[in-house]
Each structure stands twice: as C-alpha cells, then as structure tokens.
Amino acid sequence: QAFLVGDTHIVQHAPPIPKMHKPAMMCSEHDALAGPLAALPRSESMDVNNDPRFFSNNVIAKRLAAFQTICVVASLMVGLSVKQMFLLEKSIDITTATGVVQYTGFCLMCIVFLLDLTTVIVLIQQLFMTFRLLTVGPTGFEIAKSYYLNPNIVTMRHMAVKGFFFSLPLFIVSSVCMVWTTFSASGTQMLAIPVMVVFVLMAFLLWFINAKHASIFKERYSLAKIHEEPLINHVESFSSRSRGGWFGLDV
C-alpha cells in the first residue's frame, strides 16, 4: 500500500499471510505417509477451496455431459468387440474365400476395439482433468476453458469422437463376416446372404446418419455465428465510441 505524507512517498508492505495449520483435534496418527506408500512415486493433490460457483452450471460442464454418454457407450463397445475377437475361429485358410472373409472380419473387429479404446482413454482423461481444473479456485473456469480449447486437446477429443462413430458401421461389417463364417462352416451359405445384405445396408445407413447429423450441425453452428456477428459488432462499436469520447468511459 502506497500513500503520500507531504512530499514523502511512503510504501507500506502488507504483513505476510499466516500459514494455516490443521487444528489439533483433526490431527491423526494416519497423517504421515505409510512406509510402503513412501516407496511409490511422489504425488501431490490440488488445493480444496469451497467456492459457491463450483456448484453452478456452466457451459463446459454441460458439454462434458455429452462426452460422458459417448464414453459409457464406447466402454460397452470395447468389451463387446474383445468378446467377438476371441469368439472368431483362429484356424483360417486364407487361400479360400471363406478364410479371406473370416480374416477380414477379425481385422475389422480389432480396428473397432482400438478405436473405441482410444475414445475411452481420451475422453476419460479430458473429463477427469477438466473437472479438476474447474474446481482449482476462483479462476477455475478460465483455466478449464483454456485447457478445453487447447488445440491438442481439441484435436484428440474430435479424433476420439469421430473414431467412435466410425467404429459402429465397422462393427456391423465385421459381424457380417462372422455370419458368413458361421454359416459356411455348416454348409448353408445361401441362408446367410439375406442377413448379410440387411447388415450391409444397415452399415451404410449408420454411416449416412452420422454424416447427415454432422452436416446439419455444422450448418446450424455457422448460422448461429452469422446471426450473432451483427450484435457483437454493434456492441463493439458502442464500446469503441465510449472509449473515444472526451471523458472516457461514462459507466
């Protein structure tokens, strides 16, 4: 704090903030790190500050709720794809048409597993980190926003979501290969053809649905930006006009 006394400029430094100690009644014999845990890599937890703003909704929390749903479905797809991978017969003769179809189905199921696993890992990491940053303190929202909009984080998040939606048609195509392999083992390939046709059509339908949703979303988002641009320009013009006046800002 600085102030003038006559012609003397006096600077008064604020006293240091005393360090808060844990009350004696809260102390316990378990406060010290246990011996076996001391051998693990060092870790520190974030400070815990009870700010009322933590309990109010915000844009980031609402967006993360949508990714939570995708994460749950992707986790189920990971388990299902792993199960199907082990159910596929491994005695494959790639010199025959059935062997080629069987091996193709196995490779597609592996791709589905990897895409969904990547989705789960990326989204869980970002959900965990973003919610932690939201509660880091008074500037938690701004810090979480900078993390959420980081180009690396955005690219990984979009890649994970697109990979998840791309894995759904692949899962159906892989199931087509499994149906053909199962029926060919019993010598009734002709019975599998109607089912395979329906599955292939459904895979193309899913791809079309995903593409159509993405196209309409981009169109609506662009429209929203176009409509809000005149309002933002109008507000900025008033702000610049106020700053350029004789007396500066009047509010």
Side-chain angles (χ1 to χ4, degrees):
Q1 182 179 2
F3 55 91
L4 290 175
V5 177
D7 295 334
T8 306
H9 184 73
I10 300 176
V11 178
Q12 182 179 2
H13 296 282
I17 300 176
K19 186 176 181 180
M20 301 298 294
H21 296 281
K22 185 185 294 187
M25 64 185 333
M26 298 295 294
C27 296
S28 170
E29 60 179 0
H30 302 290
D31 288 344
L33 192 62
L37 298 179
L40 298 176
R42 193 176 107 184
S43 61
E44 296 181 358
S45 182
M46 298 169 52
D47 291 336
V48 179
N49 300 313
N50 190 23
D51 195 319
R53 291 174 295 177
F54 296 163
F55 305 101
S56 61
N57 288 327
N58 55 67
V59 176
I60 296 180
K62 290 181 178 296
R63 290 192 181 184
L64 293 179
F67 293 112
Q68 287 177 343
T69 305
I70 295 178
C71 192
V72 172
V73 179
S75 301
L76 298 176
M77 289 293 295
V78 168
L80 186 58
S81 59
V82 169
K83 181 180 178 181
Q84 297 300 323
M85 285 166 54
F86 284 101
L87 287 178
L88 285 170
E89 292 289 339
K90 304 307 183 294
S91 55
I92 303 174
D93 184 10
I94 59 174
T95 59
T96 62
T98 301
V100 173
V101 172
Q102 186 177 358
Y103 185 68
T104 302
F106 177 76
C107 292
L108 291 177
M109 195 62 70
C110 292
I111 295 174
V112 171
F113 166 72
L114 294 175
L115 289 175
D116 289 326
L117 182 63
T118 303
T119 301
V120 172
I121 293 174
V122 171
L123 293 186
I124 285 181
Q125 285 274 5
Q126 296 198 12
L127 287 170
F128 177 66
M129 299 296 181
T130 307
F131 277 120
R132 291 185 71 191
L133 291 175
L134 278 173
T135 59
V136 73
T139 60
F141 178 81
E142 287 74 19
I143 299 299
K145 176 184 175 181
S146 65
Y147 172 83
Y148 182 84
L149 296 179
N150 183 277
N152 300 292
I153 300 300
V154 171
T155 301
M156 287 187 289
R157 183 170 62 249
H158 288 187
M159 177 195 66
V161 174
K162 290 179 180 178
F164 165 73
F165 285 114
F166 182 70
S167 69
L168 299 179
L170 284 184
F171 181 81
I172 296 180
V173 175
S174 178
S175 300
V176 170
C177 299
M178 293 180 58
V179 170
W180 174 263
T181 303
T182 303
F183 277 84
S184 63
S186 59
T188 56
Q189 295 94 327
M190 297 301 296
L191 297 177
I193 293 178
V195 179
M196 293 174 62
V197 171
V198 173
F199 272 44
V200 171
L201 291 177
M202 190 63 195
F204 279 107
L205 180 61
L206 277 181
W207 175 82
F208 173 77
I209 290 173
N210 295 337
K212 197 64 176 178
H213 275 85
S215 177
I216 295 175
F217 173 80
K218 292 178 182 178
E219 179 189 1
R220 296 297 98 183
Y221 184 78
S222 300
L223 186 63
K225 289 299 180 181
I226 292 174
H227 280 284
E228 76 177 16
E229 186 175 357
L231 177 61
I232 294 177
N233 293 335
H234 183 69
V235 173
E236 289 180 351
S237 66
F238 270 97
S239 300
S240 60
R241 194 179 306 169
S242 300
R243 288 194 298 267
W246 289 96
F247 302 101
L249 294 176
D250 58 353
V251 291

